[in-house]
Amino acid sequence: MVRALTAYRERVRAEFETAFAEDHTPHEVGASFGLGVFLTTLPTFGLGLLVFVALVAVFDRISKVAIFASVVVLNPLVKPLVYVGSYRIGSQVLGAEPAGSLDGTLGVATDATLRLLVGNVLLAVVLAAVGYVVVRRLTVTYRRRDLDVVERLVDS
């Protein structure tokens, strides 16, 4: 288990370092990751990857590595936690669940789906914003560190 977690952490780190070193601006890397997190958080049932491919094909300012790195972070093991959190957030926003009948199973399913979707969109927006800020700052820091290393080598 520890070995698997270590390998996963190294894979995430390698993906981010590749994104940090790309020719995209820190804003583009951060925005690409944030967009990827937003789409990956939503319940797209795998269609989000097709959207990624289409976006990357159409917009050259999107960092391929950064947008696909979001899939590594929000992987299938994490998604159940996202959905539980989404449902709870949706329930907080929409208020208490109605007592009594909601016109049978369809009513209950509709209410649960609405709570999940409302919470999911709100969580996706927050995670995307946090992802953008964190990855943009990490990109700037990574590039500044590399520049410092190069300058030290040139000065010596």
Side-chain angles (χ1 to χ4, degrees):
M1 177 69 159
V2 173
R3 190 176 292 163
L5 288 175
T6 301
Y8 173 74
R9 185 183 62 158
E10 289 303 316
R11 181 175 171 205
V12 169
R13 183 174 177 223
E15 290 288 333
F16 279 118
E17 285 184 353
T18 302
F20 298 155
E22 283 186 319
D23 288 335
H24 291 87
T25 67
H27 168 73
E28 290 169 345
V29 175
S32 298
F33 182 77
L35 177 62
V37 166
F38 180 80
L39 293 172
T40 304
T41 303
L42 297 176
T44 60
F45 308 107
L47 294 177
L49 292 176
L50 295 176
V51 174
F52 286 1
V53 171
L55 289 171
V56 167
V58 173
F59 301 104
D60 61 340
R61 293 181 62 187
I62 291 179
S63 165
K64 293 175 190 170
V65 177
I67 198 168
F68 283 102
S70 66
V71 176
V72 175
V73 174
L74 286 170
N75 60 62
L77 297 175
V78 176
K79 290 291 271 195
L81 299 173
V82 169
Y83 294 138
V84 169
S86 295
Y87 184 84
R88 288 188 175 182
I89 291 168
S91 292
Q92 289 292 318
V93 170
L94 297 175
E97 295 179 22
S101 175
L102 283 174
D103 302 322
T105 305
L106 183 59
V108 172
T110 301
D111 180 67
T113 302
L114 180 62
R115 290 172 187 282
L116 177 69
L117 290 176
V118 167
N120 206 245
V121 168
L122 293 173
L123 186 60
V125 168
V126 169
L127 291 177
V130 169
Y132 166 77
V133 170
V134 168
V135 170
R136 185 185 182 288
R137 285 188 180 168
L138 287 172
T139 304
V140 169
T141 301
Y142 181 86
R143 290 179 181 176
R144 192 173 294 143
R145 185 192 77 197
D146 275 2
L147 185 60
D148 289 344
V149 169
V150 169
E151 286 175 355
R152 276 185 260 150
L153 287 173
V154 170
D155 290 342
S156 19

